[in-house]
């Protein structure tokens, strides 16, 4: 019995020891895991984009490559999140899919530290398809500077910015604006990469040489006997200067520069493309219409040969710009992506908003690229609420947005209508300039009052209106549309659409080649400007067909430019005051471009082509491309072109006359 008792005690002791060992092992496992996870996340970055932005066509995809920098053994895993799934989606592996036009933000967030993230702005729109530099190679001497200019295709790309980089900073550096500085003898490649993530780029090879021995200084020239008395910026493309006496000068005699800071140096050059004067005392200088003077910058104009110069500030006027925005949300509905961009004005800004629907709130999202106000929560009461969002910059400019919230439910109908602006005597429009919310969501429509008979208005079962302006004079008119709930006729709302009809400025032109004959194809553009920043005169462009064009614009001041189809030649009429006029007596321009018709025919021995498509430069010298078909209008020069499909080629030189050239198949 005693032996059995001792055995039993030993078993109990052994069981206790085993239990303690198991408990210790269980407790120590998390400590090992914690030890393995020690460390910090320093940063999160995306490595396969040149900047924190990306442009994709609708339906296209792009996969982000992320890099997480850590210390110790912190996790390098990330998660991906989108601010707007309707515009751009992203999966767990960073694959972005463009859904519809607009802008969304993709967040790459560290799993170990959610405060560490990288934000990519995704635009669903038009990406860059080509980048071209004004030079492919250049030779410089040590200490000298030059500015490379990058042009992107297409002209309507969503982002036209590029990122500059030097392959050898010891030889040559490049700034964010393309200014190259030669540092020491050697070679370097300057690369301009489209900032939108398309991967398109162009390069320029820079060869830096030592400066040659300085020549003996010329005798000190006599001081000039004139000065610039005054200067004034007339608009984004024109500047007026007045001399103390008559001085005969050409556009090549002027230098124009700009800088942003009073204590800075003039780094931004402009080229005077035209100099107008009637007395050689007052000159109006026009710069390239692809460049513009920027508001609140310092402008300097100098006469090259004399050293005479003057400076001024192109200061912006203080403005108070107001606009209205509508949001419609169902009671207790999700807000989704209701936000407003706050990148207004100059410098630092303050924001305020005075009222929101019950159940809603907001916060200011500060991002590296921009700022926006984000609305949160869910509205709980039906009705209309007006919020006033005010943004004020450090120059005193105010930008106010009246936000009208329509919070609807099934018990009442609400309508929102807009103010439409059209030119008098136009043919008309088929549209639905109003919206209806609430009830069952199904409605019948009828014209309920106002001037709909004058506009010969009809309305479809879906609410679209056919409106004619042929017999309408300038003025303000209204049309009322009644919308009734199909399932509950007691519910209805009346939308009032306001039509502002204005008299337009009618413009027409005939555009000729250097022989005096109308060109088959070309383009025109209007760039409107006003001294009042709150008045918007839209810029627009269009096509010239068979040598003619006609267009109606809002009366005002415009620079009007006419181009050949390849934009290799142009002529600009500056500061044109376009008044109200009749379409029977339009403001007319007769333009001669320095281009000659080049007829292209298949070489019977070397070509199998029966027709030609779009022609482009073989070496990429012309970013716009040329034209399609068998006739091109080109200025003097030597050309080496091919069709876009690469099947036909042609070489020729234009030298002051029309010519016919033979195209051949690719060898």
């Amino acid at each position: 019995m005693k032996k059995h008792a001792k055995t039993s005690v030993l078993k109990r002791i052994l069981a206790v020891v085993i239990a303690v060992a198991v408990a210790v092992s269980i407790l120590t496992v998390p400590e090992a895991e914690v030890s393995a996870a020690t460390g910090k996340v320093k940063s999160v970055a995306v490595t396969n984009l040149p900047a924190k932005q990306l442009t994709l066509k609708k339906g296209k995809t792009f996969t982000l490559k992320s890099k997480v920098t850590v210390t110790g053994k912190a996790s390098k895993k990330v998660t991906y999140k989108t601010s707007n799934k309707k515009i751009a989606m992203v999966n767990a592996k960073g694959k972005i899919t463009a859904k519809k036009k607009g802008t969304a933000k993709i967040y790459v967030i560290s799993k170990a530290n959610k405060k560490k993230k990288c934000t990519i702005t995704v635009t669903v729109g038009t990406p860059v398809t080509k980048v071209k530099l004004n030079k492919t190679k250049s030779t410089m001497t040590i200490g000298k500077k030059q500015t490379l200019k990058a042009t992107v295709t297409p002209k309507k790309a969503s982002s036209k910015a590029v990122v500059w980089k030097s392959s050898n900073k010891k030889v040559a550096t490049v700034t964010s604006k393309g200014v190259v500085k030669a540092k020491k003898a050697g070679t370097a490649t300057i690369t301009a990469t489209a900032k939108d993530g398309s991967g398109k780029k162009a390069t320029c090879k820079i060869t830096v040489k030592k400066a040659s021995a300085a020549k003996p200084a010329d005798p000190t020239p006599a001081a000039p006997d004139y000065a610039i008395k005054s200067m004034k910026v007339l608009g984004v493309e024109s500047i007026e200067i007045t001399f103390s006496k008559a001085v005969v000068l050409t556009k090549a005699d002027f230098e124009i520069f700009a800088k942003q800071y009073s204590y800075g140096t003039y780094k931004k050059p402009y080229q005077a493309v035209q100099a107008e004067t009637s007395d050689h005392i007052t000159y109006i200088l026009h710069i390239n219409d692809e460049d513009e003077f920027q508001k609140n910058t310092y402008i300097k104009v100098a006469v090259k040969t004399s050293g005479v110069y003057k400076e001024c500030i192109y200061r912006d006027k203080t403005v108070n710009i107001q606009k209205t925005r509508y949001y419609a949300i169902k009671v207790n509905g999700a807000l989704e992506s209701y936000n407003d961009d706050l990148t207004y004005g100059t410098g630092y800004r303050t924001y305020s908003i005075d009222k929101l629907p019950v159940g809603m709130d907001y916060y200011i999202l500060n991002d590296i690229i921009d700022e926006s106000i984000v609305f949160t929560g869910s509205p709980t009461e039906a009705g209309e609420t007006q919020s006033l969002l005010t943004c004020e910059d450090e120059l005193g400019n105010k930008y106010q947005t009246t936000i009208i919230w329509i919070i609807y439910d099934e018990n009442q109908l609400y309508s929102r209508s807009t103010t439409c602006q059209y030119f008098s005597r136009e043919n008309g429009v088929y549209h639905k300039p109003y919206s209806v919310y609430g009830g069952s969501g199904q409605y019948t429509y009828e014209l309920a009052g106002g001037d709909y008979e004058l506009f010969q208005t009809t309305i479809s079962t879906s609410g679209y209106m056919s409106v004619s302006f042929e017999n309408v004079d300038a003025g303000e008119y209204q049309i009322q549309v009644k919308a009734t709930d199909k399932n509950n006729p007691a519910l209805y709302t009346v939308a009032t659409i306001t039509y502002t009809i204005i008299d337009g400025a009618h413009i027409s032109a005939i555009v000729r080649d250097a022989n005096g004959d109308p060109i088959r194809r070309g383009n025109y553009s209007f760039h409107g400007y006003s001294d009042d920043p709150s008045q918007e005169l839209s810029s627009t462009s269009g096509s010239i067909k068979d040598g003619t064009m006609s267009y109606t614009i809002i009366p005002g001041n415009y620079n009007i430019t006419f181009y050949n189809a390849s934009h290799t030649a142009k002529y600009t009429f500056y500061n044109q005051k376009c008044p109200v006029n009749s379409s029977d007596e339009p403001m007319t321009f007769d333009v001669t471009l320095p281009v000659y018709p080049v007829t292209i025919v298949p070489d019977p021995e070397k070509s199998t082509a029966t027709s030609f498509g779009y022609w482009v430069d073989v070496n990429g010298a012309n970013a716009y491309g040329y034209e399609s078909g068998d006739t091109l209008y080109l200025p003097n020069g030597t050309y080496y072109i091919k069709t876009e499909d690469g099947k036909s080629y042609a070489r020729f030189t234009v030298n002051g006359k029309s010519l016919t050239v033979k195209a051949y198949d690719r060898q």
Side-chain angles (χ1 to χ4, degrees):
M1 290 292 293
K2 290 182 178 179
K3 185 176 181 181
H4 183 270
K6 288 180 180 180
T7 303
S8 177
V9 171
L10 289 172
K11 288 182 177 180
R12 289 177 183 175
I13 292 171
L14 181 61
V16 171
V17 171
I18 293 171
V20 171
V22 170
V24 170
S25 67
I26 293 172
L27 290 173
T28 57
V29 168
E31 290 181 7
E33 292 177 354
V34 170
S35 176
T38 56
K40 292 183 178 180
V41 176
K42 296 180 71 177
S43 65
V44 178
V46 169
T47 61
N48 59 337
L49 288 175
K52 293 182 179 181
Q53 66 181 60
L54 174 67
T55 301
L56 289 174
K57 280 187 177 180
K58 179 182 176 182
K60 297 296 184 179
T61 63
F62 184 89
T63 301
L64 299 176
K65 293 182 181 179
S66 61
K67 179 182 179 181
V68 180
T69 303
V70 303
T71 60
K73 298 183 179 180
S75 172
K76 294 185 179 182
K77 294 183 178 179
V78 297
T79 59
Y80 298 90
K81 185 179 178 181
T82 179
S83 66
N84 194 330
K85 294 181 180 179
K86 292 184 177 180
I87 291 175
M89 295 181 64
V90 63
N91 66 14
K93 294 183 178 181
K95 182 179 180 181
I96 300 170
T97 302
K99 304 297 288 183
K100 71 173 185 178
K101 285 191 175 182
T103 301
K105 297 184 185 301
I106 302 298
Y107 303 98
V108 186
I109 306 168
S110 166
K111 280 190 175 183
N113 183 353
K114 294 185 178 180
K115 292 184 179 180
K116 300 293 184 179
K117 63 181 179 179
C118 178
T119 303
I120 305 298
T121 299
V122 176
T123 300
V124 180
T126 305
V128 172
T129 58
K130 184 178 181 181
V131 178
K132 176 182 173 294
L133 292 178
N134 60 325
K135 295 181 180 180
T136 57
K137 60 183 179 179
S138 180
T139 300
M140 303 174 65
T141 55
I142 294 174
K144 295 297 183 179
K145 296 180 181 180
Q146 69 167 318
T147 300
L148 295 178
K149 292 186 177 181
T151 305
V152 302
T153 302
K155 288 186 70 177
K156 295 183 179 180
S158 300
S159 172
K160 296 181 180 180
V162 298
V163 176
W164 297 91
K165 186 177 180 181
S166 171
S167 65
N168 191 339
K169 294 181 181 180
K170 292 182 179 180
V171 172
T173 60
V174 63
T175 70
S176 61
K177 295 184 178 180
V179 179
V180 180
K181 182 175 182 180
K183 306 289 286 185
K184 75 171 188 176
T187 60
T189 299
I190 304 299
T191 303
T193 303
K195 199 173 183 180
D196 68 351
S198 61
K200 303 302 180 182
K201 62 180 69 174
T203 61
C204 176
K205 182 180 178 181
I206 301 294
T207 301
V208 178
K209 296 182 178 181
K210 293 181 179 180
S212 56
K215 296 181 179 179
D218 293 331
T220 303
D225 61 348
Y226 63 89
I228 299 176
K229 288 178 58 178
S230 64
M231 63 182 289
K232 178 174 66 174
V233 179
L234 302 178
V236 294
E237 297 170 1
S238 303
I239 190 166
E240 179 185 270
I241 62 171
T242 301
F243 289 97
S244 59
K245 59 179 290 187
V247 185
V248 179
L249 299 170
T250 68
K251 64 182 182 182
D253 294 317
F254 292 97
E255 290 182 317
I256 308 173
F257 297 95
K259 64 181 180 180
Q260 292 185 347
Y261 305 102
S262 60
Y263 51 82
T265 56
Y266 285 99
K267 299 291 188 181
K268 170 64 177 174
Y270 293 96
Q271 180 185 0
V273 296
Q274 191 172 334
E276 297 178 358
T277 184
S278 59
D279 56 8
H280 298 292
I281 295 177
T282 298
Y283 286 79
I284 297 178
L285 306 179
H286 304 288
I287 62 172
N288 194 312
D289 59 4
E290 295 177 359
D291 216 342
E292 291 183 353
F293 294 126
Q294 301 300 312
K295 296 291 182 69
N296 302 308
T297 58
Y298 292 80
I299 309 296
K300 175 182 176 181
V301 174
V303 179
K304 293 179 182 179
T305 55
S306 68
V308 170
Y309 70 91
K310 196 170 185 64
E311 301 169 287
C312 73
I313 303 175
Y314 184 21
R315 197 176 296 283
D316 204 350
K317 293 183 179 180
T318 301
V319 297
N320 187 347
I321 296 178
Q322 299 181 340
K323 63 180 181 179
T324 301
R325 188 183 299 277
Y326 288 85
Y327 287 130
I329 314 170
K330 192 172 183 179
V331 170
N332 298 320
L335 285 178
E336 298 182 6
S337 60
Y338 290 87
N339 57 66
D340 264 76
D341 181 29
L342 295 176
T343 53
Y344 304 118
T346 301
Y348 292 103
R349 301 169 287 272
T350 58
Y351 316 102
S352 64
I353 189 165
D354 65 347
K355 188 178 181 181
L356 286 173
V358 177
M360 289 178 52
D361 204 348
Y362 75 94
Y363 65 90
I364 304 297
L365 176 63
N366 292 298
D367 204 344
I368 295 174
I369 301 174
D370 53 26
E371 294 175 302
S372 60
I373 182 169
V374 181
F375 299 103
T376 61
S378 183
T380 57
E381 296 180 5
E384 288 192 10
T385 301
Q386 286 194 14
S387 303
L388 181 62
L389 172 62
T390 301
C391 170
E392 185 171 356
D393 70 11
E394 60 187 55
L395 298 181
N397 298 304
K398 278 189 177 181
Y399 305 84
Q400 294 183 311
T401 302
T402 299
I403 304 175
I404 299 178
W405 302 90
I406 299 176
I407 313 302
Y408 61 91
D409 58 16
E410 66 277 2
N411 300 316
Q412 189 171 346
L413 296 191
Y414 299 87
S415 61
R416 175 180 73 84
S417 55
T418 59
T419 297
C420 308
Q421 180 174 280
Y422 293 98
F423 293 114
S424 59
R425 311 298 173 180
E426 280 193 344
N427 292 330
V429 66
Y430 182 70
H431 65 167
K432 187 178 181 181
Y434 63 93
S435 301
V436 180
Y437 308 95
S440 67
Q442 296 181 319
Y443 317 108
T444 60
Y445 303 91
E446 60 182 302
L447 298 169
D451 302 295
Y452 68 87
E453 291 182 350
L454 175 64
F455 286 83
Q456 304 174 40
T457 310
T458 59
I459 191 167
S460 70
T461 56
S462 60
Y464 278 84
M465 302 163 58
S466 177
V467 185
S468 171
F469 311 114
E470 289 183 353
N471 301 314
V472 183
D473 294 323
E476 190 171 281
Y477 304 86
Q478 291 184 336
I479 296 177
Q480 284 83 40
V481 174
K482 180 180 179 181
T484 304
D485 194 298
K486 277 188 177 181
N487 299 334
N488 184 358
L491 295 181
Y492 69 88
T493 183
V494 176
T496 299
I497 302 101
T498 300
Y499 288 90
T500 301
I501 308 301
I502 65 172
D503 289 325
H506 299 274
I507 310 295
S508 69
I510 181 167
V511 184
R512 310 174 190 274
D513 61 24
N515 297 327
D517 300 318
I519 65 173
R520 288 190 188 178
R521 292 176 294 271
N523 301 104
Y524 64 84
S525 67
F526 293 86
H527 182 84
Y529 59 92
S530 169
D531 290 334
D532 181 1
S534 64
Q535 180 185 356
E536 293 186 6
L537 292 177
S538 61
S539 297
T540 188
S541 59
S543 298
I544 298 166
K545 185 177 181 182
D546 295 329
T548 63
M549 59 77 62
S550 61
Y551 194 74
T552 304
I553 57 177
I554 298 173
N557 297 329
Y558 293 87
N559 290 342
I560 307 174
T561 303
F562 299 92
Y563 309 84
N564 63 334
S566 60
H567 285 221
T568 50
K570 66 181 180 180
Y571 188 85
T572 300
F573 294 90
Y574 293 96
N575 303 324
Q576 297 298 305
K577 297 184 183 300
C578 301
V580 171
N581 56 20
S582 166
S583 58
D584 296 328
E585 297 180 357
M587 186 175 182
T588 303
F589 296 88
D590 195 325
V591 187
T592 298
L593 295 177
V595 296
Y596 298 88
V598 178
T599 303
I600 305 177
V601 298
D603 188 317
E605 298 180 357
K606 299 179 181 180
S607 174
T608 58
T610 56
S611 62
F612 301 113
Y614 190 71
W615 292 95
V616 297
D617 194 275
V618 172
N619 299 315
N622 178 25
Y624 289 98
Y626 295 102
E627 304 173 53
S628 59
D630 57 4
T631 303
L632 313 182
Y633 289 86
L634 300 171
N636 289 335
T638 299
Y639 300 88
Y640 180 27
I641 61 175
K642 65 178 180 178
T643 51
E644 200 168 28
D645 59 13
K647 293 182 179 179
S648 296
Y649 284 70
R651 288 179 184 268
F652 55 90
T653 297
V654 180
N655 188 17
K657 62 181 180 180
S658 309
L659 73 156
T660 299
V661 300
K662 294 180 180 180
Y664 55 90
D665 292 347
R666 182 176 182 179
Q667 300 301 315

